[in-house]
Amino acid sequence: MTTTEKHGLRKKLLDACIAKQQFLIDDFKDRIKALIESDGLGNEEPYDNTDVAVNSSKVAEINTLNDHLAFANAELHALEKLKVTQEVDRSHVSPGAIVVTNHSTFFISVSVEKFMVEGHVYIGISTSSPLYQAMRQKSKGDTFTFNGISYKIKEIF
């Protein structure tokens, strides 16, 4: 794979992660909006105890969703920052690197469930994850162990 192809693949992975993150953010916003618009919130009519309990539960759910939304927005911002370095060559495991191992291929960015680009499966991992900490600063040919599984780094770009 040429350097240009590697940079192109990294751009495609980054774009796929951003799209997944934006979908997640939009879903959180839609769920919050649906809860706010549902009967009972913002209504000026008198409530009985059941209404108060239901509304209290909805408010708690909205607060939880807002926390998740804030986290998702922060991760989207982190992905956007990686765009600046997407054409930087990488020789060791670091943010923005694609790490090919004997078990999986990882994209060091933010936590993203398995996703496919050009028919290959990738896993986005955060720099705060224990897996990243186990492979951090390793180079091609290095090995590391995580959860009792031995990994060998076949390629980094």
Side-chain angles (χ1 to χ4, degrees):
M1 185 180 280
T2 68
T3 300
T4 302
E5 291 170 330
K6 289 176 182 178
H7 292 172
L9 178 58
R10 190 177 304 124
K11 180 184 182 324
K12 288 177 184 176
L13 292 179
L14 190 53
D15 289 345
C17 287
I18 288 171
K20 280 188 80 129
Q21 201 66 22
Q22 189 61 59
F23 180 80
L24 181 65
I25 288 167
D26 292 344
D27 184 53
F28 284 138
K29 287 179 179 179
D30 289 344
R31 289 167 57 193
I32 291 167
K33 182 178 177 184
L35 284 168
I36 290 172
E37 291 175 350
S38 67
D39 291 339
L41 289 181
N43 189 344
E44 300 296 325
E45 297 175 16
Y47 299 106
D48 65 20
N49 286 339
T50 304
D51 290 335
V52 171
V54 168
N55 288 343
S56 178
S57 174
K58 286 180 184 178
V59 168
E61 186 174 357
I62 289 169
N63 288 338
T64 299
L65 288 170
N66 273 323
D67 290 344
H68 291 305
L69 177 60
F71 182 76
N73 276 316
E75 288 201 328
L76 179 62
H77 180 70
L79 288 168
E80 293 287 348
K81 284 176 36 179
L82 284 177
K83 281 185 173 184
V84 175
T85 65
Q86 71 186 7
E87 292 191 17
V88 172
D89 291 330
R90 291 174 171 79
S91 59
H92 62 280
V93 178
S94 61
I98 298 169
V99 181
V100 182
T101 73
N102 56 325
H103 293 289
S104 300
T105 302
F106 302 99
F107 180 47
I108 312 302
S109 54
V110 299
S111 180
V112 179
E113 294 178 2
K114 289 181 181 179
F115 62 101
M116 290 192 70
V117 171
E118 296 185 347
H120 295 356
V121 175
Y122 298 89
I123 302 168
I125 64 169
S126 165
T127 56
S128 61
S129 74
L131 177 58
Y132 173 76
Q133 297 306 317
M135 70 170 83
R136 183 175 172 208
Q137 296 297 317
K138 301 274 188 211
S139 299
K140 180 179 177 177
D142 288 347
T143 60
F144 65 94
T145 302
F146 180 73
N147 282 346
I149 299 171
S150 294
Y151 292 83
K152 180 171 176 112
I153 298 174
K154 297 161 95 176
E155 189 171 6
I156 299 173
F157 56 94

